[in-house]
Amino acid sequence: MGSLVLMIIGLAMFAAGYLIYSKYLAKRVFKLSSSFQTPAHELKDGVDYVPTNKFILWGHHFTSVAGAAPIVGPAIAVIWGWGPAFLWVTLGTVFFAGMHDLGTLWASLRNKGKSIGALSGRYIGKRGANLFLIVIFLLLLMVIAAFAVVIKNLLISTPTSVIPTWGAIVVALLVGVAVYRMRWPLIPVTVVGVVVLYALIVLGDAVPVVLPESFLGMTPATFWILALFIYGAIASLLPVWVLLQPRDYINGVQLFVGLILLFGSVLIATLFTANKPEIVAPMFNTDLPAGTPSLVPLLFVTIACGAISGFHGMVSSGTSSKQIDKETDARFVGYFGAVGEGLLSLGTILAVIGGIQSVGAWEEIYSEFGAGGVEAFVQGGGALMENGLGLPASLSATVLATMAVLFAATTMDTGMRLLRYVVQEIGQTMKLRITKIPATLIVVVVGLGLTFSQGLGGEGGLRIWPLFGTTNQLLASLSLSIIAVMLMRKRRNPWPAIIPLVLVFVLSFWAAIEQLFSFTAAGNQDWLLFAIDVVIIIASVWVAVEAVMAMRRAMQDPPEPENEDAELVAEREAV
């Protein structure tokens, strides 16, 4: 099978998912209403709660959820063969991720924009809510620390991406002023912004920025990590319209253009060149390198973002729900945001199985489990674009490396804003009032502490990353349990949430148990990861039991009124 056929099948599945299944969810399950007053209007403050054009908000949501993980996960998982990775990405996006992302967005909208962690207290129970917050805190800490290291590595290994990476911030600030202060039309601002971004990519390719071995008394690795944390802290404190919305929107458009270039390269190379991008990887790999874990359950946690991801629920309920203009916009922002990430994962699969030119080269890259990753995506995708579009190899690599950096950077600073919310929520449970700046300082100190815990090169940033996949998927299943409880309370069909809930929880819990044993294996003992994994397993089981009890209560209690704010229902019940 050629890359073009696989691409067409994948695109057709995503299109069917959005045009058919998401419409069913929006109209029949969640019953989105354009007359419902969203938190962005009810609690409008010009900082976090801001009614936003759905296209701009989609850009924020898409680029926030689509960090480096939908590139790294599929680029590693194809070691089991492209067939399992392709099926999990496509089916997972359509039936799992789309439901989860739209559902968490709807749940937050119906609860005054509260985060999924806060909603756990209302729908699951206060006993499980604190444990839920622990899982969320650990996951966000993994994201900001690991993504800082990923970005640092790309800025050092691909110095041509430095200028477009930091130049994108200036472009975003100007776009925000043009749209929100000068009221310029969105389309011409978008066109100019994207053109400038791609001009920065060309400039970066011509003028690579390589820092000296000692820069301001620091190594390049230390400097880039500190710069990223400082930027993330400032970005997380600014009103969303100043930087977060315009940066994510313009990045989203630019990155979508990058995906079009990648998919277009496959089409053009197949139809119009002699060097057709044939798939060199096996559909099912029966000759796995020694030490490769079993396909089931590890595939389903190796590919998290790009199929289903608990982090998406935090973005949906943490920032996106506070900016929805009309509730009906949630389908486009939430479900199509998941489709956007699925497209990135599909593009990654095509790059690493069809862009690499020979079976021997592919087997050399995938000589051990964990190989591949962003570097394989840049290498394979760059070869596709050079072959299909005739772009120089260096420029192609710069385009893809910049894509990866911008995805990771937008996820990192959104993660810092979300972690600040979590710190404030934890403070509330302890009867402490923690304002934005102290909460942000706590996030920065803890994040840098983890990142530099094993050296100033940032080695500690990936210290607890092996737990990301299982933690992320367990969180997704727990978020789906909240959606199921809400649907049951309203006497709506809960099965679109329950089916992925059960499958994801079983597979991710299975993976967490397997990892628990691997952390105690002779010669590979890691007691820190063992302890954290135990905490995550206990918290997940506890919350799952609480969720089952909550579902039973939901079916026994009187049904909630349709199209009513859940907060009003709760207040009436309390009275």
Side-chain angles (χ1 to χ4, degrees):
M1 180 184 292
S3 297
L4 179 61
V5 175
L6 197 64
M7 182 184 80
I8 292 173
I9 294 173
L11 294 178
M13 293 175 70
F14 290 144
Y18 181 71
L19 295 174
I20 300 172
Y21 190 56
S22 76
K23 186 177 293 186
Y24 165 75
L25 293 175
K27 290 187 175 182
R28 305 295 294 275
V29 177
F30 299 122
K31 299 184 180 180
L32 304 181
S33 172
S34 59
S35 62
F36 177 78
Q37 186 181 37
T38 64
H41 289 281
E42 182 182 359
L43 303 174
K44 183 177 179 180
D45 62 5
V47 178
D48 294 317
Y49 293 85
V50 180
T52 304
N53 178 288
K54 69 177 183 180
F55 296 102
I56 293 179
L57 184 53
W58 174 85
H60 154 67
H61 185 82
F62 168 51
T63 53
S64 293
V65 300
I71 296 174
V72 175
I76 291 175
V78 294
I79 195 168
W80 288 297
W82 62 261
F86 175 78
L87 289 174
W88 178 227
V89 163
T90 51
L91 295 176
T93 295
V94 171
F95 295 108
F96 288 60
M99 168 65 193
H100 171 272
D101 294 14
L102 174 55
T104 48
L105 189 52
W106 166 77
S108 182
L109 285 170
R110 290 289 167 163
N111 286 274
K112 297 187 183 299
K114 288 186 176 179
S115 72
I116 203 69
L119 294 183
S120 64
R122 165 157 168 69
Y123 291 101
I124 303 300
K126 294 188 180 298
R127 289 175 299 183
N130 293 338
L131 292 170
F132 202 100
L133 285 174
I134 291 173
V135 175
I136 292 174
F137 182 87
L138 288 172
L139 182 64
L140 287 171
L141 187 60
M142 294 178 202
V143 168
I144 64 173
F147 280 21
V149 175
V150 169
I151 298 167
K152 174 265 296 183
N153 289 340
L154 282 169
L155 292 176
I156 293 174
S157 65
T158 315
T160 53
S161 66
V162 173
I163 287 178
T165 294
W166 295 101
I169 298 173
V170 178
V171 174
L173 291 169
L174 295 176
V175 168
V177 171
V179 172
Y180 286 102
R181 285 294 178 261
M182 303 182 71
R183 304 293 180 182
W184 288 1
L186 181 60
I187 292 179
V189 171
T190 301
V191 172
V192 173
V194 172
V195 169
V196 172
L197 274 178
Y198 272 94
L200 287 171
I201 290 175
V202 174
L203 176 62
D205 187 57
V207 186
V209 177
V210 181
L211 297 182
E213 292 186 6
S214 179
F215 185 74
L216 299 178
M218 296 174 281
T219 65
T222 303
F223 172 79
W224 285 131
I225 290 172
L226 287 174
L228 287 164
F229 269 90
I230 293 171
Y231 156 73
I234 295 172
S236 70
L237 289 169
L238 290 173
V240 292
W241 68 267
V242 174
L243 181 58
L244 182 141
Q245 282 184 356
R247 179 215 55 204
D248 290 358
Y249 168 69
I250 205 70
N251 282 351
V253 176
Q254 184 267 141
L255 296 168
F256 216 68
V257 171
L259 287 175
I260 292 173
L261 292 176
L262 184 59
F263 290 135
S265 299
V266 174
L267 177 65
I268 294 171
T270 302
L271 298 180
F272 302 107
T273 70
N275 189 17
K276 303 185 187 303
E278 297 296 331
I279 296 175
V280 299
M283 184 175 183
F284 294 96
N285 192 359
T286 57
D287 187 22
L288 294 170
T292 302
S294 58
L295 169 66
V296 179
L298 265 296
L299 169 73
F300 301 94
V301 296
T302 301
I303 301 179
C305 300
I308 182 172
S309 166
F311 178 73
H312 292 200
M314 289 185 284
V315 175
S316 291
S317 63
T319 57
S320 299
S321 64
K322 298 174 177 62
Q323 302 170 61
I324 288 282
D325 183 28
K326 296 184 295 184
E327 191 180 48
T328 48
D329 292 346
R331 177 188 170 220
F332 181 78
V333 174
Y335 195 98
F336 194 62
V339 170
E341 190 177 59
L343 288 169
L344 177 58
S345 290
L346 175 61
T348 299
I349 292 172
L350 293 174
V352 298
I353 68 173
I356 297 170
Q357 299 298 305
S358 68
V359 175
W362 189 88
E363 290 178 342
E364 182 179 351
I365 292 174
Y366 289 94
S367 59
E368 62 178 350
F369 182 73
V374 175
E375 292 77 11
F377 167 72
V378 172
Q379 177 184 337
L384 282 175
M385 294 172 69
E386 181 181 15
N387 184 28
L389 302 178
L391 295 179
S394 174
L395 181 58
S396 298
T398 301
V399 170
L400 295 175
T402 302
M403 280 179 60
V405 169
L406 292 180
F407 272 129
T410 53
T411 301
M412 180 187 172
D413 57 41
T414 298
M416 292 187 74
R417 184 181 290 259
L418 294 172
L419 192 51
R420 184 245 296 173
Y421 293 158
V422 172
V423 169
Q424 291 178 291
E425 289 175 2
I426 293 174
Q428 290 174 0
T429 65
M430 301 171 64
K431 308 299 182 185
L432 298 174
R433 184 177 181 273
I434 305 177
T435 56
K436 291 193 298 185
I437 293 179
T440 303
L441 288 175
I442 291 172
V443 170
V444 171
V445 170
V446 175
L448 284 174
L450 174 62
T451 307
F452 290 139
S453 62
Q454 293 185 310
L456 295 179
E459 294 83 358
L462 297 174
R463 181 75 172 85
I464 59 176
W465 185 253
L467 292 171
F468 172 78
T470 52
T471 307
N472 195 33
Q473 302 302 66
L474 284 169
L475 179 59
S477 64
L478 299 177
S479 299
L480 285 166
S481 70
I482 293 174
I483 298 170
V485 171
M486 289 186 65
L487 292 173
M488 288 177 176
R489 284 190 170 198
K490 293 181 178 294
R491 300 296 187 267
R492 298 181 190 169
N493 180 14
W495 289 106
I498 292 176
I499 292 173
L501 156 62
V502 172
L503 290 174
V504 172
F505 183 82
V506 169
L507 289 167
S508 53
F509 188 77
W510 180 0
I513 296 297
E514 281 199 3
Q515 284 187 314
L516 198 63
F517 287 104
S518 71
F519 296 145
T520 60
N524 191 37
Q525 293 177 339
D526 195 321
W527 296 110
L528 173 63
L529 294 185
F530 176 85
I532 295 174
D533 199 12
V534 168
V535 171
I536 292 169
I537 289 171
I538 293 173
S540 300
V541 171
W542 193 322
V543 177
V545 171
E546 296 276 355
V548 172
M549 294 169 60
M551 290 180 194
R552 292 182 62 183
R553 291 194 300 269
M555 295 305 296
Q556 295 169 357
D557 293 341
E560 286 184 351
E562 292 285 350
N563 292 325
E564 189 170 6
D565 191 316
E567 286 284 311
L568 297 177
V569 175
E571 291 172 6
R572 188 163 56 248
E573 289 174 350
V575 173

